[in-house]
Amino acid sequence: MTPSSLPIAIVTGGNSGIGLETVKLLAKDHLVYAIGRNPATLHALEGFANVNPVALDITDFSALSAFTSPLTRVDVLLHSAALSVPSTTLEATPELWQQHLNVNVIAPAELTRLLLPALRRSSGKVVFINSGSGTLALAGHVVYSASKFALTALAHALRTEESEHGVRVATVAPGPTDTPLNQATRHREGNHAPIDPRDYLTASSVARAVRFIVDSPEDTQIADIVVRPRRDKAKR
């Protein structure tokens, strides 16, 4: 198929971690718009076939509207961009709360709203990358956890709202994953020790779960996938 005839996929956080690995998988048979903020990593995506790097701040809602307005058909929308800054309730400022809610909840909600006509037209799929923190809040991560709880609610409500329009909605909730976001979070907590690979998923493994959802047949609605490392500390 020519690029113009390929299904359309949009991936936020598409230049790093789980988003980047998903872009690589989807680009095999989709035209992928990989949204990111880092010009250097976006530039590296220019060598990939069927990938259009898009420099965009997803919290700039006017820019989101300008980006989405020409799109008349979207087959896959993956929300992978996220912010995670460790904080207790005592330490968290209103600014920190607003930053997390803007990136982790409001931007995905607004981008989805803008693209719903295009998603309905193709009976598309919306996939949210959530977290174990979206169902179990951890001390010291109150702001991030609360935003991911809100993202869980958004996904559940959207699934019910859009079922009659043919849009399917799924959540992938990874356990600890070796990504730049996870590394930055660990460093903010003062933990610079090397990770044990047995305790962490790879971003490509989580991306395969997303691809599984994308490839699911028309008679299925995959709602939630939880992906954990094989050596799961949470269960020991």
Side-chain angles (χ1 to χ4, degrees), residues 79 108 112-113 116 119 126 128 152-163 167-169:
H79 297 287
T112 301
R113 184 186 71 83
L116 274 179
L119 286 159
V126 181
F128 295 93
T152 298
L154 170 60
H156 288 178
L158 181 67
R159 183 179 305 116
T160 303
E161 292 168 356
E162 289 302 310
S163 61
V167 177
R168 287 178 283 173
V169 179

Side-chain angles (χ1 to χ4, degrees), residues 84-161:
S84 176
V85 178
S87 178
T88 64
T89 305
L90 179 63
E91 298 165 339
T93 63
E95 292 76 17
L96 191 66
W97 279 103
Q98 193 63 62
Q99 289 168 2
H100 279 72
L101 291 172
N102 279 344
V103 174
N104 296 354
V105 185
I106 300 174
E110 176 62 3
L111 181 56
T112 301
R113 184 186 71 83
L114 291 168
L115 289 175
L116 274 179
L119 286 159
R120 289 175 176 179
R121 194 168 290 115
S122 63
S123 296
K125 298 183 177 81
V126 181
V127 184
F128 295 93
I129 300 297
N130 203 297
S131 166
S133 296
T135 55
L136 177 64
L138 300 177
H141 294 267
V142 61
V143 181
Y144 175 73
S145 295
S147 71
K148 288 298 187 177
F149 266 71
L151 191 66
T152 298
L154 170 60
H156 288 178
L158 181 67
R159 183 179 305 116
T160 303
E161 292 168 356

